[in-house]
């Protein structure tokens, strides 16, 4: 991995003098030569993540201003984490990029740079490399403290449930207004409480109709999910098999980026699909959320909403929901149970039964 050291001292000085935001004077991360490929190698080779995980991370960080983690003033680091992110997942992914930056600078200082380069980098007269490493360690502690304190409440393992929760009257309207192909995708995401990448990777043989003497389950395989281990999404109604009955499951963009034809799921990147759920720009909400007067949400909101509903509306035991969700730590699952919402949650099944709504007719309408 190359050091790829970039000096933005002039741009930072302009920002200070003119009260500009970093993005006003710096290129985007995606515009810096080698940044995408270096980050991809770090995510996949060094962090043992999938190509799909890298794509999700990159999609959330590529529009941020580029920065050098070791020379960045603290206010800029804070700004990058808080000002340029909108949701818990975005903050989590930016913190991954900060860790990547930090490791790259560590390798540069401890292994690559000569003394002259270190003096230039730290803007200080250095007699030995030991002094440079000492300066680095001081900054290291500041950075790690920042990552941990900023990240304590908004990672996927500490969900921002209130931000993501979708009340059922709004969910029904979203499904009613969306094209049937998209409505089926969204409904499946909700009913399984799955990540969108997990649903895109389902195959017909993943359905276990006899599981637990109920409505069956869908097997989520290892390496096809963010979770460390394979797990099963137990079904609490027969809706998912009914929705997916005519879906050619198993045709997805795989790790080799093969073109997919006649695919059921929308051939869109995550951000485009999220846009259909609503995106706020200059105070105005666009997409279907804007049409129905709902706050903007993301694809991950369906998962957050379902986990919350199973715990707080359906009364499913926490241990069962934890296993179904693929959470390693029960505390993650319990965060959903402890959240205080504006009004009592109800599951989509409860809402449809209460209001005599045929969900399949809603999904297939437009």
């Amino acid at each position: 991995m190359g050091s790829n050291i970039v000096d933005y001292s002039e741009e930072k000085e302009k920002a200070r003098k003119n009260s500009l935001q970093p993005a006003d004077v710096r290129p985007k991360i995606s515009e810096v030569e080698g940044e995408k490929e270096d980050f991809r190698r770090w995510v996949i080779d060094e962090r043992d993540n999938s190509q799909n995980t890298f794509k999700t991370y990159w999609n959330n960080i590529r529009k941020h201003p580029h920065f050098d983690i070791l020379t960045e003033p603290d206010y800029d680091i804070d700004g990058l984490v808080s000002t340029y992110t909108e949701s818990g997942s975005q903050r989590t992914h930016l913190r991954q990029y900060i860790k990547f930056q930090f490791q790259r600078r560590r390798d540069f200082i401890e292994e690559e740079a000569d003394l002259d380069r270190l003096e230039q980098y730290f803007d200080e007269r250095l007699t030995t490399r030991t002094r440079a490493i000492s300066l680095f360690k001081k900054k290291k502690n500041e950075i790690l403290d920042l990552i941990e304190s900023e990240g304590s409440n908004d990672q996927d393992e500490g969900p921002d449930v209130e931000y993501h929760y979708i009340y059922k009257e709004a969910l029904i309207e979203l499904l009613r207004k969306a094209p049937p192909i998209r409505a089926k995708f969204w409904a499946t995401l909700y009913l399984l409480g799955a990540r969108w990448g997990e649903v895109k990777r389902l195959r017909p043989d993943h359905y276990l109709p006899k599981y637990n003497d109920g409505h069956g389950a869908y097997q989520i395989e290892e390496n096809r999910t963010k979770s460390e281990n394979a797990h099963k999404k137990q079904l609490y109604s027969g809706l998912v098999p009914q929705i997916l009955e005519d879906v050619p499951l198993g045709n997805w963009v795989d790790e080799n980026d093969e073109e997919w034809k006649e695919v059921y799921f929308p051939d869109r990147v995550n951000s485009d699909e999220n846009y259909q759920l609503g995106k706020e720009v200059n105070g105005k909400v666009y997409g279907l959320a804007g049409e129905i007067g709902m706050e903007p949400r993301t694809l991950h909101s369906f998962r957050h909403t379902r986990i919350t509903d199973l715990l707080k509306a359906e009364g499913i035991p926490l241990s069962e929901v934890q296993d179904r969700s693929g959470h390693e730590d029960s505390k993650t699952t319990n965060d959903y149970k402890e959240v205080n919402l504006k009004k009592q949650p109800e599951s989509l099944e409860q809402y449809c039964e209460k209001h005599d709504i045929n969900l399949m007719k809603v999904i297939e309408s437009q």
Side-chain angles (χ1 to χ4, degrees), residues 36 39 52-64 90 93 196 269-274:
K36 180 176 182 179
F39 185 57
N52 187 63
T53 298
F54 159 70
K55 289 180 179 179
T56 303
Y57 284 175
W58 184 254
N59 185 61
N60 273 337
I61 69 168
R62 61 190 173 85
K63 295 183 180 179
H64 293 144
Q90 289 182 8
H93 299 161
W196 71 288
V269 295
N270 194 15
S271 60
D272 290 337
E273 184 69 18
N274 282 338

Side-chain angles (χ1 to χ4, degrees), residues 10-183:
E10 183 178 346
E11 285 81 356
K12 284 184 272 191
E13 186 62 27
K14 288 179 183 178
R16 293 189 193 96
K17 288 182 178 179
N18 300 292
S19 299
L20 298 175
Q21 293 294 324
D24 296 329
V25 291
R26 302 182 208 171
K28 297 174 181 177
I29 290 173
S30 58
E31 296 171 352
V32 177
E33 183 178 359
E35 201 73 353
K36 180 176 182 179
E37 181 58 25
D38 285 346
F39 185 57
R40 187 193 68 79
R41 285 199 297 267
W42 183 80
V43 170
I44 296 176
D45 297 342
E46 298 190 37
R47 307 293 286 188
D48 197 26
N49 288 306
S50 68
Q51 175 77 5
N52 187 63
T53 298
F54 159 70
K55 289 180 179 179
T56 303
Y57 284 175
W58 184 254
N59 185 61
N60 273 337
I61 69 168
R62 61 190 173 85
K63 295 183 180 179
H64 293 144
H66 185 73
F67 63 98
D68 186 332
I69 191 64
L70 287 184
T71 61
E72 200 71 22
D74 289 341
Y75 78 89
D76 279 346
I77 297 176
D78 284 326
L80 284 160
V81 173
S82 59
T83 304
Y84 293 98
T85 55
E86 298 176 356
S87 69
S89 61
Q90 289 182 8
R91 288 189 286 273
T92 298
H93 299 161
L94 183 55
R95 278 193 301 278
Q96 290 297 317
Y97 181 76
I98 290 173
K99 292 177 183 178
F100 154 73
Q101 278 268 7
F102 180 78
Q103 180 174 322
R104 183 164 58 173
R105 297 306 180 252
R106 182 198 65 191
D107 295 343
F108 169 74
I109 290 167
E110 296 182 352
E111 301 173 12
E112 301 174 21
D114 59 26
L115 199 57
D116 289 341
R117 188 72 175 93
L118 291 172
E119 286 184 347
Q120 179 184 356
Y121 188 66
F122 285 105
D123 193 23
E124 182 175 323
R125 180 68 178 171
L126 303 170
T127 55
T128 65
R129 292 178 59 86
T130 303
R131 173 59 180 163
I133 293 174
S134 176
L135 291 171
F136 166 76
K137 287 181 177 178
K138 181 177 183 296
K139 190 67 176 179
K140 169 185 175 180
N141 292 333
E142 295 174 1
I143 293 168
L144 294 181
D145 285 346
L146 172 73
I147 293 171
E148 292 170 3
S149 63
E150 287 282 336
S152 60
N153 294 319
D154 56 16
Q155 300 182 33
D156 185 48
E157 289 74 23
D160 188 352
V161 180
E162 281 192 271
Y163 170 84
H164 283 284
Y165 193 80
I166 304 174
Y167 290 97
K168 299 313 161 302
E169 57 269 25
L171 180 52
I172 286 292
E173 283 304 301
L174 282 176
L175 298 176
R176 196 188 307 276
K177 286 181 172 290
I181 195 169
R182 180 167 284 115

